[in-house]
Amino acid sequence: MEKRIYLDNAATTRVLPEVFETMKPFFTEEYGNPSSAYEFSGRVANRIADATEEIAKFINAKAKEIYFTSGGSESDNWALKGVADALRSKGNHIITSKIEHHAILHTCEYLEKQGYEVTYLDVDENGLVDPVALEKAIRPETILISIMFANNEIGTIEPIAEIGEIAHKHGIYFHTDAVQAFGHVPIDVEAMHIDMLSASGHKVNGPKGIGLLYIRTGTKISNFIHGGAQERGRRAGTTNAPGIMGFSKAVSIASERMNERTAHETKLRDRLIERVLSEIPHSRLNGHREKRLSNNTNFCFRFIEGESLLILLDKKGICASSGSACTSGALDPSHVLLAIGLPHEIAHGSVRFTLSEETTEEDIDYTVESLKQIVERLRSMSPLYEDFVKKEKLSKVN
Ligand SMILES: *Cc1c(COP(=O)(O)O)cnc(C)c1O
């Protein structure tokens, strides 16, 4: 078999075999529509009720506050458009950050066209939102604050509990896109004052096509898909029973193994960071050194295009990513790297490696060795690097 080292777990993850096994019977045997009246369907409805309990417990919510969607993007769309619509008469101002996922940013742009006003908060050089700046941005007409739990490109974990407290002090709803944090970081919607939370199955070793929006009881938010009475009449469409069962299994595994997973990933993440920074000259780590997801690394290598680096890594069997999957392909620099203050030419040269519990030390060492060779090769062909080396020599002579 050809070598493949998968280090793009922020883009999507492998469905664990236990998860797949849990899902299987709901395709071929227990295929009844859980909304139907007969016992064959009732059985499925009962299993879904248990699965929903399991997921709710994981974030300290109630089962009736969990609404299943098709994924993180839909949940983000629903939270923003739903609250904007329901609170139109109260106000038209939304606060978010410059480093959100495009599912948030593009929805905000859409809402701006509808007459809403959006404040995009700056972040510091590590990608952190400043709670003081956030509080200052609040206006009488502010109806919603949406700040991601952890960033998908640079892994920075935001001060969510603090932001939630500020939102609630001012009587404003707080939504968080927790797609990257869910399953990696303990989440408590009560302690953290979260009113709405987005999560996605395929980012936590569950299947694609299933996600959730947690909506705190009493939150004013418009229904999202009109049709049948599924999801308590708020999001129509035949219940994705295999998806929910798989998602729930993935959550219970994540919950059980969170400590050992995090410890394993952190150890390998730190090995990768330390080796890259000490063995590859002119490299930098993007994102916060400590307040960071256990599986995320993001580097810039000066004088090198991220895209060329990715192609050569791919030739060595290493799957990595330059920023988010949505922007790679387009040669735009990442909006996240620009927001943390990197100049365009450096923001172009970034690579993200995101680990999983299946990543091994050998994978990390092979990746570092490959990176060293590739960076050296690309720099040897770079006129920018040649200039830089000449100047450095001159300055040493003088
Ligand atoms: C992947 C991702 C999404 C989108 O989730 P899908 O389930 O793929 O729609 C949204 N936000 C963040 C932070 C993500 O990483």
Side-chain angles (χ1 to χ4, degrees):
M1 214 178 92
E2 67 180 273
K3 193 172 185 75
R4 176 154 24 87
I5 294 180
Y6 186 75
L7 294 175
D8 202 13
N9 288 280
T12 197
T13 57
R14 185 167 99 93
V15 170
L16 292 174
E18 305 96 296
V19 171
F20 188 45
E21 286 308 317
T22 304
M23 293 173 72
K24 268 187 195 162
F26 293 89
F27 287 106
T28 51
E29 291 152 35
E30 302 288 339
Y31 55 83
N33 186 329
S35 303
S36 301
Y38 33 83
E39 196 264 341
F40 176 57
S41 287
R43 283 209 306 253
V44 181
N46 288 338
R47 294 292 301 278
I48 286 176
D50 293 343
T52 310
E53 284 284 349
E54 179 80 32
I55 293 175
K57 208 173 61 193
F58 185 57
I59 56 170
N60 194 24
K62 297 178 201 80
K64 64 176 171 43
E65 296 174 316
I66 302 295
Y67 295 85
F68 290 107
T69 64
S70 64
S73 300
E74 185 187 327
S75 299
D76 285 346
N77 269 261
W78 185 4
L80 266 56
K81 291 178 192 166
V83 168
D85 184 57
L87 297 190
R88 188 70 180 100
S89 60
K90 183 166 178 277
N92 71 338
H93 180 234
I94 295 167
I95 299 173
T96 187
S97 81
K98 285 191 177 158
I99 62 163
E100 299 295 313
H101 190 272
H102 283 132
I104 294 289
L105 292 177
H106 290 168
T107 304
C108 284
E109 283 163 25
Y110 165 81
L111 288 170
E112 283 178 303
K113 288 198 194 101
Q114 312 293 313
Y116 292 86
E117 286 179 34
V118 182
T119 299
Y120 300 91
L121 293 172
D122 284 321
V123 293
D124 72 5
E125 69 277 11
N126 293 316
L128 283 173
V129 169
D130 175 9
V132 176
L134 179 135
E135 189 160 20
K136 281 202 189 120
I138 293 174
R139 308 178 192 162
E141 60 275 15
T142 306
I143 50 174
L144 178 65
I145 294 170
S146 179
I147 302 290
M148 69 199 321
F149 206 118
N151 183 268
N152 48 301
E153 293 188 32
I154 57 174
T156 299
I157 300 172
E158 300 296 339
I160 289 302
E162 216 178 316
I163 293 169
E165 202 171 330
I166 293 169
H168 281 191
K169 189 171 98 191
H170 292 267
I172 299 165
Y173 288 152
F174 175 42
H175 165 258
T176 186
D177 173 342
V179 171
Q180 290 293 334
F182 190 85
H184 289 272
V185 183
I187 299 177
D188 182 328
V189 292
E190 291 303 328
M192 295 172 170
H193 312 278
I194 296 166
D195 298 304
M196 282 157 283
L197 174 143
S198 305
S200 174
H202 76 100
K203 301 284 176 84
V204 287
N205 302 104
K208 293 164 181 63
I210 186 79
L212 66 84
L213 182 64
Y214 155 78
I215 305 176
R216 177 182 293 281
T217 304
T219 304
K220 293 195 178 70
I221 176 168
S222 295
N223 298 342
F224 198 54
I225 294 186
H226 306 283
Q230 293 91 355
E231 305 304 315
R232 294 168 290 288
R234 296 179 123 173
R235 197 273 186 192
T238 298
T239 308
N240 179 354
I244 294 171
M245 295 310 297
F247 192 9
S248 174
K249 182 68 182 175
V251 165
S252 73
I253 293 172
S255 166
E256 247 166 58
R257 294 195 207 152
M258 192 181 298
N259 290 341
E260 50 180 303
R261 244 186 202 178
T262 312
H264 174 80
E265 289 172 356
T266 304
K267 190 173 122 242
L268 294 183
R269 176 198 73 185
D270 292 347
R271 182 182 180 89
L272 179 56
I273 292 174
E274 270 140 39
R275 284 203 64 188
V276 165
L277 296 185
S278 65
E279 296 175 37
I280 304 182
H282 313 297
S283 57
R284 83 164 250 153
L285 176 73
N286 300 310
H288 200 284
R289 184 62 187 86
E290 283 89 38
K291 293 173 190 163
R292 133 178 248 121
L293 289 171
S294 58
N295 72 339
N296 173 289
T297 67
N298 186 308
F299 300 102
C300 280
F301 300 98
R302 276 182 76 191
F303 316 108
I304 284 178
E305 282 276 346
E307 299 293 318
S308 352
L309 198 53
L310 283 188
I311 293 165
L312 296 178
L313 283 167
D314 188 24
K315 289 217 170 105
K316 294 197 176 274
I318 301 169
C319 308
S321 158
S322 68
S324 64
C326 325
T327 44
S328 54
L331 276 172
D332 286 338
S334 139
H335 66 285
V336 177
L337 297 182
L338 294 179
I340 62 172
L342 297 189
H344 274 252
E345 68 273 16
I346 294 180
H348 265 305
S350 82
V351 185
R352 176 185 75 183
F353 301 97
T354 42
L355 288 51
S356 78
E357 65 175 342
E358 296 178 306
T359 309
T360 65
E361 195 167 298
E362 292 72 52
D363 294 342
I364 296 298
D365 290 342
Y366 174 81
T367 301
V368 175
E369 295 307 326
S370 306
L371 260 176
K372 282 162 77 172
Q373 287 171 18
I374 294 170
V375 167
E376 203 176 294
R377 186 172 146 207
L378 287 173
R379 280 186 181 154
S380 74
M381 305 186 300
S382 154
L384 281 173
Y385 186 62
E386 209 179 310
D387 281 354
F388 172 81
V389 173
K390 268 187 208 151
K391 275 187 201 136
E392 242 192 0
K393 274 195 191 139
L394 272 178
S395 70
K396 273 191 193 128
V397 171
N398 293 333

